[in-house]
Amino acid sequence: MAFSTLTLLYDQWLKEADPRVEDWLLMSSPFPQTVIILSYIYFVTTLGPRLMENRKPFDLKRPMIIYNVSIVAFSLYMIYEFLMSGWANGYSYRCDLVDYSSSPQALRMAWTCWLYFFSKFIEMLDTIFFVLRKKNSQVTFLHVYHHSIMPFTWWFGVKFAPGGLGTFHALLNCCVHVVMYSYYALSAMGPAYQKYLWWKKYMTTIQLVQFVMVTAHVGQFFFMKDCPYQFPVFLYIIGLYGLIFLILFLNFYYHAYTKGKRLPKALQNGACFLNSAHKKTE
């Protein structure tokens, strides 16, 4: 009886989904992506370290350079698509609703949202590189949680609300990734390129600005008298996500720059995530 009820609720729930994305890769059901995410978690936390235990670390310098440059190029492309499909082409940056029509611009935004969702699976390679290079100390709970929760939550975003004000944080995140992965690519190229990494110390500030902008933008919704955004629950999730990471980064910034002497020198010069990820290039 309970299973039948859950099945009925699930079928009823899916009736509210966007029919335009039904046949797109991974979008027919949340189960395929759930299997991928669980497999990722199992590999980077258990299977991978076990397989590498008695092996030498892989030398992945060239693949990592190619990977990082590719992420930069892909992020630039998504920025362009997000802008052309709404954020520089009609959006007000206030109460922007999801356009569920079959117009070229609406479909372009939906497809860009799917590209962003799919990019989160590609970025799982960050952690896999850690494991294959035996940098297991970098496979932290926060790192794995971040790479797992993003594709999982974005499946629902693409399935039900691919567009509107709920996509602003994706545009910002792509901009930040251009900076971050450019840094990773240059760092992976070796000591000869260290002189081009003078801007590492600004990475924490860039992350803080991102989370402030995300929180402020989505926070507008709660003060608007009339904004019939179709799925407000996503705005609550985005707001909570942005606020949590804003607090975490503010806390890090305070300890790193106000009480920096208590931290290792490496931590005084960069962001929590970025310092961790930088070690993948060493």
Side-chain angles (χ1 to χ4, degrees):
M1 180 67 71
F3 181 76
S4 299
T5 303
L6 288 175
T7 302
L8 183 62
L9 289 173
Y10 176 75
D11 291 338
Q12 192 69 31
W13 171 61
L14 284 183
K15 288 181 180 179
E16 299 183 34
D18 186 345
R20 298 174 303 172
V21 306
E22 173 67 23
D23 296 327
W24 295 0
L25 182 64
L26 297 176
M27 294 311 302
S28 62
S29 164
F31 297 113
Q33 70 134 0
T34 301
V35 170
I36 293 173
I37 293 170
L38 291 176
S39 299
Y40 157 78
I41 294 172
Y42 175 66
F43 179 82
V44 301
T45 60
T46 305
L47 180 61
R50 187 180 301 164
L51 292 174
M52 292 301 298
E53 186 175 5
N54 298 315
R55 290 181 170 88
K56 292 182 179 180
F58 284 94
D59 180 6
L60 301 174
K61 180 178 179 179
R62 186 180 296 275
M64 287 170 61
I65 293 173
I66 295 172
Y67 166 72
N68 290 317
V69 171
S70 298
I71 292 292
V72 171
F74 194 22
S75 297
L76 286 170
Y77 174 70
M78 287 189 289
I79 290 170
Y80 176 77
E81 289 299 308
F82 272 124
L83 291 173
M84 292 300 99
S85 58
W87 291 105
N89 193 17
Y91 276 19
S92 67
Y93 288 82
R94 287 184 57 77
C95 183
D96 296 302
L97 306 181
V98 182
D99 183 353
Y100 290 100
S101 74
S102 295
S103 70
Q105 185 171 332
L107 288 172
R108 188 175 187 178
M109 173 58 82
W111 179 247
T112 305
C113 289
W114 182 88
L115 287 176
Y116 182 77
F117 159 72
F118 188 74
S119 74
K120 299 299 115 182
F121 293 102
I122 298 173
E123 290 165 17
M124 288 178 175
L125 285 171
D126 286 3
T127 327
I128 293 173
F129 283 143
F130 281 147
V131 173
L132 296 181
R133 297 177 66 243
K134 301 186 76 168
K135 302 285 185 178
N136 296 331
S137 62
Q138 306 308 312
V139 186
T140 63
F141 169 79
L142 188 57
H143 178 91
V144 176
Y145 171 78
H146 173 73
H147 282 281
S148 301
I149 199 67
M150 284 297 288
F152 185 79
T153 55
W154 256 86
W155 183 90
F156 295 94
V158 177
K159 188 71 172 177
F160 293 92
L165 64 93
T167 63
F168 179 68
H169 72 286
L171 171 62
L172 276 184
N173 189 236
C174 287
C175 294
V176 171
H177 278 191
V178 169
V179 179
M180 286 174 54
Y181 284 92
S182 294
Y183 171 82
Y184 298 157
L186 287 170
S187 183
M189 292 178 184
Y193 291 85
Q194 294 297 316
K195 60 183 178 181
Y196 300 113
L197 301 178
W198 55 268
W199 38 277
K200 175 184 177 182
K201 61 184 178 181
Y202 299 111
M203 296 296 243
T204 303
T205 303
I206 292 171
Q207 292 279 23
L208 282 171
V209 170
Q210 173 190 204
F211 295 126
V212 168
M213 292 179 68
V214 168
T215 305
H217 177 261
V218 78
Q220 294 180 99
F221 172 78
F222 305 106
F223 298 95
M224 294 178 187
K225 292 183 179 180
D226 183 25
C227 183
Y229 185 77
Q230 294 91 330
F231 290 94
V233 63
F234 294 136
L235 303 184
Y236 283 91
I237 293 171
I238 294 167
L240 181 61
Y241 194 79
L243 188 60
I244 288 173
F245 277 94
L246 175 60
I247 293 171
L248 289 173
F249 270 78
L250 282 172
N251 179 66
F252 171 80
Y253 191 90
Y254 171 74
H255 286 285
Y257 294 97
T258 305
K259 298 183 177 182
K261 292 182 180 180
R262 296 187 181 184
L263 293 175
K265 187 175 181 180
L267 289 180
Q268 296 179 32
N269 293 326
C272 182
F273 281 142
L274 298 172
N275 283 326
S276 175
H278 170 57
K279 293 184 180 179
K280 72 182 182 182
T281 64
E282 294 176 347

